Amino acid sequence: MPPATTRSETRLSRPTRVAEAIKQWVMDEGWAPGQRLPSEAELMARFGMAKGTIREAIRLLEAQGLVKSRTGPGGGVFVHQVSEERAAALLGNYFFFAHPTIDDIYRLRAALEPELAASLAGRLSAAQLARLDAVIAESAPPAPGAEDEATRHAASLRFHAELAAMSENPLLRFVIRFLAELLSEITVARGLHSPTDPELWATGLAYQTRLVEALRTGDAEAARAVMAAHMATAQRLMRSREAAVTRRFLSDRARG
Amino acid sequence: MPPATTRSETRLSRPTRVAEAIKQWVMDEGWAPGQRLPSEAELMARFGMAKGTIREAIRLLEAQGLVKSRTGPGGGVFVHQVSEERAAALLGNYFFFAHPTIDDIYRLRAALEPELAASLAGRLSAAQLARLDAVIAESAPPAPGAEDEATRHAASLRFHAELAAMSENPLLRFVIRFLAELLSEITVARGLHSPTDPELWATGLAYQTRLVEALRTGDAEAARAVMAAHMATAQRLMRSREAAVTRRFLSDRARG
DNA sequence: CCCAATTTGTTCGTATGTATC
DNA sequence: AGATACATACGAACAAATTGG
């Protein structure tokens, strides 16, 4: 006969249970980032477990970006605000397996970036507008045709990242920046870059310039329209590139 | 003069370095989910470190959802595909600190859900359409006014989650489901539910019914329009609710 | 500059739990 | 049921980092 005593879900490992208990504890008490958790010794006593077990629990929280440890006097384990970089990296692990296509990414960009542009129109400070101008200027090549498309693409993504950072909406900010990073990784990984087409470069810069102008004058609908057009052309371009790469792969396989 | 010997970034803890090394190793070798990593003993030998250190490294990977451990013969540490639930939970940690508003969430929903609806038009199987009908039927109350708005809202979110699950686009799928969960958590946490308004319930069901009809006939633009209208009304509703709650908070503070 | 105190970081040996054969 | 192979957990000791005297 099975014991009537408390079983209490012993299927989860002790470090996992301790980590969840600590997380719940921190949330219940409403501890802010920077607050110190009890020392390892105190946690050992509190949970009645060995040092190794407690340390594994802390690693589980550390990997999530929720705590950070420091050695020495005044050291310890501290509540930590999850950074955007950490969150993006963790989410990237998921899409490493889900492999979205370039087109998948552009579906979301095409829907979100115009919304972002519209929401920023007339709301940016002079300093922020100047910053955008500076990013555009950076991406303009000193000598025509001197840089390759990888650089151009990276510069474009930097512009979009800067723009997203100016949004008050943390969700919009995160998703747009994440999509840009993902796009960058995938294009690099698949070698989707080709030698610079100066004409293309010029039109890209023209889009950005017109966008900043609309943002400056506060014309939300113009900003939305410019960004939507920009996304449409970029999407078309990348679609044809992806098709070309697929064809190349196929012919390689046919040969090999 | 600084030593010319290898420093090799000893600022990161050993478990962290081991975890990154293993991650890189797995990616380089292209190991698929289900593949077994070397045993703890082998990893100890390979990295020249003690058991505790190796175990902490494995916990770091486990928290990211990248590996799972099993005891016993044939057991060990296995590469694991990060689940959508795990990814959503990890990302949720980030927004626990970034606190987006309800309106922030709806900005993204309003941009993405119509896109999702349009992309699914004419592409769903009879079984999938039947499933959507079933979810709608579930949310229809046996007796009018018998259930509260929390239930109604949850049912609506379930409908949207089912819809998102039918997309081929993993990004769209993930973001929409994540937004729905986030919205659910926030409304529950802030007590933004009010007694059921039967009229509202009816209009919500009408939207869903019209949407499924457009999906069945394959009218992408109709599907997009229905969803856009639905989002607009829902957004308006939640905005007024949030304003009401804010007023209540303010007057409470004014009194206290 | 060194020394002492504090706290996390790491090692080793041993024992226990769990699943497979 | 027993042997085997693996992760899981414990406890004691020592190492390294940081702060303050």
Side-chain angles (χ1 to χ4, degrees):
Chain A
M1 170 177 144
T5 61
T6 59
R7 283 281 314 279
S8 73
E9 291 305 332
T10 186
R11 357 199 85 135
L12 273 59
S13 69
R14 294 198 198 193
T16 306
R17 277 181 291 158
V18 170
E20 285 180 0
I22 292 178
K23 192 171 166 180
Q24 196 61 47
W25 186 19
V26 168
M27 287 194 355
D28 288 349
E29 306 284 328
W31 291 353
Q35 295 264 29
R36 207 197 106 158
L37 265 57
S39 70
E40 285 183 359
E42 288 170 300
L43 290 172
M44 287 168 65
R46 179 168 225 277
F47 289 98
M49 289 173 192
K51 183 170 177 134
T53 309
I54 298 297
R55 286 182 59 79
E56 288 182 31
I58 291 172
R59 288 295 156 275
L60 287 169
L61 297 172
E62 184 183 281
Q64 301 175 55
L66 291 169
V67 303
K68 281 250 187 274
S69 300
R70 283 205 311 269
T71 61
V77 182
F78 298 83
V79 178
H80 193 256
Q81 176 163 354
V82 182
S83 70
E84 184 178 315
E85 292 71 28
R86 166 84 56 164
L90 291 170
L91 187 58
N93 288 337
Y94 173 65
F95 289 106
F96 177 78
F97 293 102
H99 4 259
T101 67
I102 303 240
D103 200 52
D104 288 338
I105 300 175
Y106 266 103
R107 295 270 169 148
L108 274 83
R109 292 193 82 199
L112 295 176
E113 296 257 16
E115 196 57 37
L116 168 71
S119 75
L120 291 179
R123 293 175 167 258
L124 298 183
S125 67
Q128 288 176 310
L129 289 165
R131 176 146 188 74
L132 292 176
D133 284 332
V135 175
I136 293 177
E138 270 177 42
S139 81
E147 318 214 13
D148 66 353
E149 162 134 359
T151 321
R152 189 188 75 81
H153 196 213
S156 166
L157 289 176
R158 198 162 54 242
F159 177 81
H160 288 279
E162 287 287 344
L163 206 60
M166 296 176 183
S167 171
E168 307 269 311
N169 185 337
L171 277 162
L172 204 52
R173 215 161 50 205
F174 179 85
V175 174
I176 289 184
R177 296 178 81 160
F178 180 73
L179 290 172
E181 278 174 43
L182 200 56
L183 191 58
S184 180
E185 281 173 28
I186 292 184
T187 51
V188 169
R190 299 199 194 162
L192 281 177
H193 296 298
S194 54
T196 299
D197 177 343
E199 198 172 333
L200 213 80
W201 184 309
T203 61
L205 282 182
Y207 275 127
Q208 294 179 0
T209 311
R210 284 203 289 153
L211 177 62
V212 173
E213 201 44 42
L215 294 177
R216 197 185 314 268
T217 61
D219 188 340
E221 287 319 307
R224 188 197 305 274
V226 170
M227 184 64 97
H230 179 37
M231 283 294 123
T233 28
Q235 186 168 15
R236 250 197 319 276
L237 172 68
M238 294 307 288
R239 239 197 281 248
S240 67
R241 293 270 167 87
E242 197 167 35
V245 169
T246 307
R247 275 199 301 277
R248 190 150 53 104
F249 267 106
L250 287 174
S251 70
D252 280 354
R253 285 179 98 180
R255 277 201 317 242
Chain B
M1 170 177 146
T5 62
T6 58
R7 282 283 315 279
S8 74
E9 291 305 330
T10 186
R11 358 196 81 130
L12 273 58
S13 69
R14 295 198 203 198
T16 305
R17 278 181 292 159
V18 170
E20 284 181 1
I22 292 178
K23 192 170 165 181
Q24 196 61 47
W25 186 19
V26 168
M27 288 193 357
D28 289 349
E29 305 284 328
W31 290 354
Q35 295 264 32
R36 207 197 103 158
L37 264 59
S39 69
E40 284 185 358
E42 288 171 298
L43 290 173
M44 287 167 63
R46 181 169 224 279
F47 290 99
M49 290 172 192
K51 189 158 38 194
T53 308
I54 299 295
R55 287 180 60 78
E56 288 183 29
I58 291 173
R59 289 290 160 274
L60 288 169
L61 296 172
E62 186 183 280
Q64 302 175 56
L66 292 169
V67 304
K68 281 251 189 267
S69 300
R70 282 206 311 270
T71 59
V77 182
F78 297 83
V79 178
H80 193 257
Q81 177 164 355
V82 182
S83 70
E84 184 179 315
E85 292 72 28
R86 166 83 59 166
L90 292 170
L91 187 58
N93 288 338
Y94 172 66
F95 288 106
F96 177 77
F97 293 102
H99 12 260
T101 67
I102 303 238
D103 201 52
D104 288 338
I105 301 175
Y106 266 103
R107 294 270 167 145
L108 274 84
R109 294 192 80 200
L112 295 176
E113 296 257 15
E115 197 58 38
L116 169 70
S119 76
L120 292 179
R123 294 175 165 258
L124 298 184
S125 67
Q128 289 177 310
L129 290 165
R131 176 149 188 74
L132 291 176
D133 284 332
V135 174
I136 294 178
E138 269 178 43
S139 80
E147 317 214 14
D148 65 353
E149 161 134 357
T151 322
R152 188 188 77 79
H153 196 212
S156 166
L157 289 176
R158 198 160 56 241
F159 177 82
H160 287 279
E162 288 287 344
L163 206 62
M166 295 175 183
S167 172
E168 307 268 314
N169 185 337
L171 277 162
L172 204 51
R173 214 161 50 204
F174 179 85
V175 175
I176 288 184
R177 296 179 81 161
F178 179 74
L179 290 173
E181 278 174 44
L182 200 57
L183 192 57
S184 180
E185 280 174 29
I186 292 184
T187 51
V188 168
R190 300 199 194 163
L192 280 178
H193 296 299
S194 53
T196 300
D197 178 343
E199 200 174 330
L200 212 80
W201 184 309
T203 61
L205 282 181
Y207 273 127
Q208 294 180 358
T209 311
R210 284 202 290 153
L211 176 62
V212 173
E213 201 43 43
L215 294 177
R216 198 186 313 268
T217 62
D219 187 341
E221 286 321 306
R224 188 197 304 274
V226 170
M227 183 64 97
H230 179 38
M231 282 295 123
T233 36
Q235 186 167 14
R236 249 197 320 276
L237 173 67
M238 295 306 289
R239 238 196 280 246
S240 66
R241 293 269 167 88
E242 196 167 35
V245 169
T246 306
R247 274 200 301 277
R248 192 148 53 102
F249 267 105
L250 288 175
S251 69
D252 280 355
R253 285 179 98 180
R255 274 203 319 243

